[in-house]
Amino acid sequence: MSFEKLGLNQSILSAVRKKGYENPSTIQAKAIPQILAGRDLLASSQTGTGKTAGFTLPMLQLLSSRTLGKKRPIRALVLTPTRELAAQVFDNVKTYGENLDLRSTVIFGGVNQNPQVKAIRNGVDILVATPGRLLDLHNQRLLSLSQIELLVLDEADRMLDMGFVRDIRKILALLPNKRQTLLFSATFSDEIKKLTKEFLNNPAVVEATPESTTVEKINQRAYQVDKKQKSDAIIDLIAGGKWQQVLVFTRTKHAANRLTQKMVKCDVSAMAIHGNKSQSARTKALAALHSNEIRVLVATDIAARGLDIPLLPHVINYELPNVPEDYVHRIGRTGRAGASGEAISLVSVDEIAYLKSIEKLIGIDLPLEVIAGYEPTEKPGDIQKPKGNKPNFNKRKPKSNNRNFRRKPRN
Ligand code: ADP
Ligand code: MG
């Protein structure tokens, strides 16, 4: 498959060539023709598979195919969850659109709004925005969304995770009903399907799941370990095996923080990334792992999602994900210069059901093994749950403005 065959015009193709891409990625090859045909679209594929160009290229083509009035109302809106992602998308729009007569700008919170307002006043065809700043400027009547023809919800799963669903609903209510809507996501969860039903009109659905051969190539092992032994066991594995560049996944940010602290105490250099850390802090931590400044990066699924993670020799699931697809995303990060990497899961007795649904999804049996010295003793009833996510009001003394007592989105 080549970019030429996807129906893109010469101006766009030459920008793509300049960028150095030879062939479209799977998700690009599947998504681009559907978008050019004018259809609503739900597209899901792992992080790092080129979703940005997957919507940017056809968006540019659709917009440039119609001549524009002088006023340039906003015709395309791209929503992203964070300012860093908004800036990345905007960069892509500029790069691929350099040969076209289209204008674009980006708006996000945390900075002075005046330059953003000025850019919009000058007329833009494409607006890339985070939901909060967009609503803010709209409420001040500084922009109009009444001429939107194309809406892109990028990283839609992260937007949901970050609690943006109400903002998204508000924004959708401001858009014309007659429009094309594209939803891009790294996962294909029930929540994403619900959002799709609510906002998309008879969408084409395209997916690029990692090839099963990739999963098969990874050396996967599952160890049954008692919950209260897991932190000692993982430190022993990493220190004993003299492993470098280890990516560890936890389910919650609390677990990520706790485990990181314990590792550092035991002289295993580590950093944590999760939803409370900024994108730039996450990128820095990843760079530190890659350059061997630290040995271990402890991440939640959400934190890992927006990152372009290079292949690493070791991935450890400290806790299994409760969404089996996340397991595939996690272990897809292992591998080393052509050779296969190693993915290890520490499974406590209460997680065996998660392991079963993972085995079903990947079509591979992962027999439970035992780490010498960490033979499991816990029985299903021994483990209290759920810990960490829900505050226990009886145990802790409430402080007047303690935000931790409010329910927050899971990360
Ligand atoms: P996603 O949104 O799916 O996580 P991105 O759009 O951020 O992925 O792209 C990930 C990386 O892949 C970027 O560095 C991008 O420049 C690169 N990329 C995108 N499309 C292609 C392609 N067709 N060929 C080679 N590299 C590509
Ligand atoms: Mg993306």
mmCIF file of all heavy atoms in Angstrom, residues 47-48 50-52 55 85 88-89 154-155 184 305-306, ligand 2:
data_model
loop_
_atom_site.group_PDB
_atom_site.id
_atom_site.type_symbol
_atom_site.label_atom_id
_atom_site.label_comp_id
_atom_site.label_asym_id
_atom_site.label_seq_id
_atom_site.Cartn_x
_atom_site.Cartn_y
_atom_site.Cartn_z
ATOM 1 N N THR A 47 -1.083 3.501 20.616
ATOM 2 C CA THR A 47 -0.275 4.718 20.602
ATOM 3 C C THR A 47 0.937 4.516 19.696
ATOM 4 O O THR A 47 1.511 3.434 19.658
ATOM 5 C CB THR A 47 0.202 5.013 22.036
ATOM 6 O OG1 THR A 47 -0.945 5.192 22.844
ATOM 7 C CG2 THR A 47 1.054 6.270 22.085
ATOM 8 N N GLY A 48 1.275 5.561 18.962
ATOM 9 C CA GLY A 48 2.477 5.494 18.134
ATOM 10 C C GLY A 48 2.262 4.890 16.760
ATOM 11 O O GLY A 48 3.214 4.583 16.056
ATOM 12 N N GLY A 50 0.534 6.408 14.312
ATOM 13 C CA GLY A 50 0.338 7.429 13.279
ATOM 14 C C GLY A 50 -1.086 7.914 13.109
ATOM 15 O O GLY A 50 -1.493 8.299 12.004
ATOM 16 N N LYS A 51 -1.832 7.945 14.197
ATOM 17 C CA LYS A 51 -3.222 8.393 14.076
ATOM 18 C C LYS A 51 -3.324 9.867 13.681
ATOM 19 O O LYS A 51 -4.248 10.253 12.974
ATOM 20 C CB LYS A 51 -3.980 8.124 15.391
ATOM 21 C CG LYS A 51 -4.169 6.627 15.652
ATOM 22 C CD LYS A 51 -5.110 6.359 16.801
ATOM 23 C CE LYS A 51 -4.532 6.667 18.162
ATOM 24 N NZ LYS A 51 -3.348 5.834 18.500
ATOM 25 N N THR A 52 -2.357 10.676 14.126
ATOM 26 C CA THR A 52 -2.445 12.112 13.836
ATOM 27 C C THR A 52 -2.501 12.366 12.327
ATOM 28 O O THR A 52 -3.390 13.075 11.846
ATOM 29 C CB THR A 52 -1.246 12.871 14.438
ATOM 30 O OG1 THR A 52 -0.957 12.315 15.712
ATOM 31 C CG2 THR A 52 -1.544 14.339 14.573
ATOM 32 N N PHE A 55 -5.811 11.421 10.513
ATOM 33 C CA PHE A 55 -6.930 12.359 10.310
ATOM 34 C C PHE A 55 -6.490 13.685 9.700
ATOM 35 O O PHE A 55 -7.251 14.341 9.003
ATOM 36 C CB PHE A 55 -7.738 12.596 11.595
ATOM 37 C CG PHE A 55 -6.978 13.214 12.753
ATOM 38 C CD1 PHE A 55 -6.732 14.570 12.804
ATOM 39 C CD2 PHE A 55 -6.550 12.422 13.804
ATOM 40 C CE1 PHE A 55 -6.043 15.142 13.876
ATOM 41 C CE2 PHE A 55 -5.853 12.982 14.889
ATOM 42 C CZ PHE A 55 -5.603 14.347 14.917
ATOM 43 N N LEU A 85 -0.494 17.682 23.507
ATOM 44 C CA LEU A 85 -1.032 16.987 22.338
ATOM 45 C C LEU A 85 -1.604 17.978 21.335
ATOM 46 O O LEU A 85 -1.464 17.801 20.126
ATOM 47 C CB LEU A 85 -2.093 15.971 22.762
ATOM 48 C CG LEU A 85 -1.507 14.700 23.383
ATOM 49 C CD1 LEU A 85 -2.577 13.902 24.114
ATOM 50 C CD2 LEU A 85 -0.858 13.842 22.315
ATOM 51 N N GLN A 88 1.229 19.256 19.416
ATOM 52 C CA GLN A 88 1.721 18.246 18.459
ATOM 53 C C GLN A 88 0.843 18.171 17.212
ATOM 54 O O GLN A 88 1.332 18.104 16.086
ATOM 55 C CB GLN A 88 1.710 16.863 19.107
ATOM 56 C CG GLN A 88 2.985 16.501 19.843
ATOM 57 C CD GLN A 88 2.863 15.149 20.551
ATOM 58 O OE1 GLN A 88 2.178 14.239 20.071
ATOM 59 N NE2 GLN A 88 3.502 15.028 21.701
ATOM 60 N N VAL A 89 -0.474 18.174 17.437
ATOM 61 C CA VAL A 89 -1.390 18.101 16.294
ATOM 62 C C VAL A 89 -1.227 19.340 15.420
ATOM 63 O O VAL A 89 -1.170 19.253 14.190
ATOM 64 C CB VAL A 89 -2.858 17.959 16.774
ATOM 65 C CG1 VAL A 89 -3.816 18.105 15.605
ATOM 66 C CG2 VAL A 89 -3.070 16.612 17.465
ATOM 67 N N ASP A 154 -9.564 13.702 19.151
ATOM 68 C CA ASP A 154 -8.314 12.932 19.154
ATOM 69 C C ASP A 154 -8.034 12.432 20.564
ATOM 70 O O ASP A 154 -8.350 13.098 21.538
ATOM 71 C CB ASP A 154 -7.158 13.812 18.665
ATOM 72 C CG ASP A 154 -5.862 13.012 18.495
ATOM 73 O OD1 ASP A 154 -5.958 11.792 18.250
ATOM 74 O OD2 ASP A 154 -4.776 13.605 18.599
ATOM 75 N N GLU A 155 -7.440 11.255 20.671
ATOM 76 C CA GLU A 155 -7.155 10.654 21.978
ATOM 77 C C GLU A 155 -8.423 10.661 22.833
ATOM 78 O O GLU A 155 -8.418 11.092 23.989
ATOM 79 C CB GLU A 155 -6.029 11.427 22.694
ATOM 80 C CG GLU A 155 -4.795 11.658 21.840
ATOM 81 C CD GLU A 155 -3.764 10.540 21.947
ATOM 82 O OE1 GLU A 155 -3.922 9.666 22.804
ATOM 83 O OE2 GLU A 155 -2.815 10.549 21.145
ATOM 84 N N PHE A 184 -10.845 9.332 17.277
ATOM 85 C CA PHE A 184 -9.620 8.531 17.303
ATOM 86 C C PHE A 184 -9.276 8.164 18.731
ATOM 87 O O PHE A 184 -9.353 9.016 19.623
ATOM 88 C CB PHE A 184 -8.451 9.288 16.656
ATOM 89 C CG PHE A 184 -8.485 9.213 15.151
ATOM 90 C CD1 PHE A 184 -9.402 9.959 14.423
ATOM 91 C CD2 PHE A 184 -7.616 8.375 14.474
ATOM 92 C CE1 PHE A 184 -9.451 9.867 13.044
ATOM 93 C CE2 PHE A 184 -7.655 8.281 13.089
ATOM 94 C CZ PHE A 184 -8.569 9.028 12.370
ATOM 95 N N ARG A 305 -0.184 6.007 27.651
ATOM 96 C CA ARG A 305 -0.918 6.087 26.401
ATOM 97 C C ARG A 305 -0.481 7.224 25.485
ATOM 98 O O ARG A 305 -0.346 7.039 24.303
ATOM 99 C CB ARG A 305 -2.407 6.235 26.713
ATOM 100 C CG ARG A 305 -3.253 5.390 25.845
ATOM 101 C CD ARG A 305 -4.653 5.338 26.365
ATOM 102 N NE ARG A 305 -4.881 4.176 27.203
ATOM 103 C CZ ARG A 305 -5.904 4.046 28.020
ATOM 104 N NH1 ARG A 305 -6.769 5.030 28.144
ATOM 105 N NH2 ARG A 305 -6.062 2.979 28.733
ATOM 106 N N GLY A 306 -0.288 8.405 26.045
ATOM 107 C CA GLY A 306 0.043 9.537 25.184
ATOM 108 C C GLY A 306 1.507 9.597 24.786
ATOM 109 O O GLY A 306 1.920 10.522 24.121
HETATM 110 MG MG MG B 2 -2.281 10.576 18.899
#
